[in-house]
Amino acid sequence: MHKGLVVQKYGGSSVANVERIQNVAKRVVGYRKKGYDLVVVVSALGDTTDELIELASKITNEPSEREMDMLLSTGEQISVSLLAMAIHKLGYEAISFTGAQVGIITDKSHTRARIIKINADKIRRALKEGKIVIVAGFQGVTLDQDITTLGRGGSDLTAVALAKELKADECEIYTDVEGIYTTDPRIEPKAKKIQKITYDEMLEMASLGAQVMQARSIEVAKKFDVPLHVRSSFSDNNGTMIIKEVKVMEGVLLSGVTLNRHEAKVTICDVPDKPGVAAKIFKNLSEGGVSVDMIVQNVSHTRKTDLSFTVAKTELVKALKIVKRVSRNIGAGEVIEDQDIARVSVVGVGMKSHPGVAATMFGTMAEHKINIEMISTSDISISCIIQKKFAEVAVKALHNKFGLSK
């Protein structure tokens, strides 16, 4: 009896060792027995990707991005083949493919490629032959046959894109937690699992530092209305459904509090206060492939200004190189970096109609004597940059203040 097609994605922690790979194989076969067709997307084992990055860094501080993709894509090749073997061992047919083999075509932006199209014929053929298809996440190939990777958390994107392309009935994202929580349960044990959340809130939470899913994968899911089910590979409980809209109660203000410790702040001192200067700085950064996030400028009476912005830590070296060059050209002062910062954010669709959220957030920070260095807001979120040492205190205080553990 054929029940439909499920795309499942298993993260690195779900396939961290042989025992866990066998556990995933049993779960996949369990679905197969119920009559489902399966496409399983797998990340690299445990910390493999970090270990490969570490290896490269021992050779050079500035490895070529093409060669980094070549290196990192090997991680998933190991996990897909091992999972296929584990499924064979259970007496079921499975076949593993790399991103290139299943025709995931991307642009040429090495280390953060975007998917242009997927030619899924190979998958369809294997499914027709009754096989469980296992696909390496996080990777693709350019039209020139160069291997690319899709950026941190890119296996989520592989799974969502395949679910859309194959018109799957459901896309399940397996991780080591039981779904999306009101905040990181490792920081605040009182965090609660969210049953249903909108794409918009999840997108905001992911881009502000919630580690559970890659933001770009949620953008794609939202665009093509692919329902996502985030759940734990270590339990059979239902997780969190990410869907278009959630009927919320009037009183529900926030969905969660997120924390991001992977950012750095760059400050350019004594920038001449005249038109076109900021444009020059940020144009050079964008041409250098650096994504800038929060920006704060303080204009003083001396017609000089300090300009601060945040970037991902992984792009700090690149950003500093560019900024120091531009700073000399425009006659600005020294460039200061600060890596001891964290971003704490509150997220919720309910904020649109409740004006007091910002005041409560800033008041809570003040009560705990936490200085706010930068602030940014969107329709459904408010973020503060604070010193890293106060990060966990801030998360717990805000989680408590907004009554999220109830």
Side-chain angles (χ1 to χ4, degrees):
M1 181 184 129
H2 180 253
K3 275 199 172 170
L5 173 66
V6 179
V7 172
Q8 297 183 336
K9 176 256 168 178
Y10 291 92
S13 53
S14 305
V15 290
N17 53 40
V18 168
E19 194 185 347
R20 289 187 179 182
I21 291 169
Q22 288 164 331
N23 171 43
V24 167
K26 284 188 191 121
R27 185 179 284 265
V28 170
V29 164
Y31 269 74
R32 180 77 221 184
K33 284 177 179 162
K34 287 180 193 157
Y36 290 101
D37 278 343
L38 286 138
V39 174
V40 183
V41 175
V42 193
S43 297
L45 275 64
D47 299 324
T48 306
T49 307
D50 292 332
E51 285 159 14
L52 292 171
I53 291 171
E54 175 76 6
L55 262 179
S57 73
K58 286 181 176 157
I59 290 175
T60 169
N61 276 338
E62 295 184 34
S64 119
E65 292 188 327
R66 181 192 182 278
E67 298 310 329
M68 278 310 281
D69 279 355
M70 200 66 169
L71 175 68
L72 297 186
S73 64
T74 61
E76 278 70 17
Q77 209 169 323
I78 296 169
S79 47
V80 289
S81 50
L82 290 174
L83 180 58
M85 292 173 197
I87 292 171
H88 294 156
K89 185 92 197 292
L90 296 172
Y92 283 77
E93 277 195 79
I95 184 165
S96 70
F97 295 122
T98 63
Q101 286 175 313
V102 294
I104 295 175
I105 308 295
T106 74
D107 63 14
K108 295 179 180 175
S109 317
H110 283 289
T111 73
R112 50 175 182 280
R114 292 192 167 272
I115 297 175
I116 298 170
K117 62 171 192 217
I118 298 178
N119 171 7
D121 294 347
K122 212 163 188 165
I123 296 181
R124 290 189 183 97
R125 271 203 304 278
L127 288 172
K128 215 170 249 160
E129 290 162 9
K131 291 178 179 143
I132 294 166
V133 176
I134 301 161
V135 179
F138 171 67
Q139 55 176 255
V141 66
T142 65
L143 288 167
D144 305 338
Q145 298 296 303
D146 270 338
I147 292 175
T148 52
T149 64
L150 309 174
R152 238 339 170 198
S155 299
D156 291 339
L157 185 56
T158 307
V160 172
L162 284 171
K164 182 253 158 186
E165 180 63 32
L166 298 162
K167 300 185 174 58
D169 297 283
E170 186 164 21
C171 183
E172 298 186 321
I173 306 288
Y174 285 94
T175 145
D176 53 357
V177 289
E178 285 206 1
I180 313 295
Y181 282 76
T182 47
T183 195
D184 186 339
R186 286 168 299 208
I187 296 175
E188 175 50 274
K190 288 193 266 204
K192 288 270 178 288
K193 184 166 78 181
I194 302 167
Q195 305 295 331
K196 286 179 179 168
I197 189 169
T198 64
Y199 292 126
D200 288 332
E201 287 172 304
M202 192 58 229
L203 190 52
E204 203 81 11
M205 280 173 80
S207 48
L208 294 172
Q211 301 287 307
V212 180
M213 275 198 79
Q214 189 208 37
R216 270 167 58 198
S217 64
I218 298 153
E219 275 174 25
V220 174
K222 179 188 170 184
K223 189 168 159 192
F224 297 108
D225 205 6
V226 178
L228 301 174
H229 187 180
V230 178
R231 51 195 307 198
S232 164
S233 56
F234 306 117
S235 103
D236 289 328
N237 298 342
N238 275 337
T240 302
M241 289 300 299
I242 308 175
I243 47 181
K244 209 179 235 154
E245 52 190 342
V246 178
K247 304 271 181 283
V248 281
M249 316 242 295
E250 272 294 306
V252 178
L253 211 57
L254 295 186
S255 302
V257 179
T258 64
L259 172 63
N260 184 351
R261 295 191 182 93
H262 305 291
E263 286 181 293
K265 182 169 85 165
V266 177
T267 304
I268 313 170
C269 303
D270 301 329
V271 177
D273 180 26
K274 50 179 197 251
V277 170
K280 186 173 257 174
I281 294 168
F282 294 112
K283 182 169 186 264
N284 277 279
L285 283 164
S286 96
E287 281 170 358
V290 176
S291 298
V292 171
D293 202 12
M294 276 191 206
I295 303 172
V296 169
Q297 180 175 356
N298 320 313
V299 179
S300 67
H301 302 299
T302 60
R303 311 304 296 156
K304 294 269 189 182
T305 144
D306 286 353
L307 183 68
S308 298
F309 59 88
T310 58
V311 293
K313 269 191 185 156
T314 48
E315 299 193 334
L316 180 62
V317 174
K318 213 165 23 170
L320 287 171
K321 214 171 171 178
I322 295 168
V323 168
K324 284 176 178 164
R325 188 187 72 230
V326 178
S327 173
R328 281 194 301 273
N329 292 346
I330 59 176
E334 66 170 328
V335 175
I336 305 166
E337 60 172 285
D338 182 358
Q339 299 197 40
D340 287 317
I341 60 160
R343 173 205 292 262
V344 177
S345 315
V346 294
V347 178
V349 170
M351 280 165 58
K352 288 180 187 169
S353 47
H354 291 267
V357 177
T360 306
M361 184 175 189
F362 305 150
T364 307
M365 298 291 207
E367 274 166 41
H368 289 81
K369 308 215 173 358
I370 300 171
N371 186 38
I372 299 172
E373 297 182 15
M374 301 167 96
I375 297 168
S376 93
T377 60
S378 83
D379 241 7
I380 61 171
S381 72
I382 302 168
S383 295
C384 298
I385 295 287
I386 59 174
Q387 283 299 298
K388 198 188 252 177
K389 61 182 177 201
F390 297 119
E392 303 206 349
V393 176
V395 168
K396 284 183 168 169
L398 290 167
H399 194 267
N400 185 29
K401 189 71 172 183
F402 286 106
L404 288 170
S405 25
K406 292 198 174 63

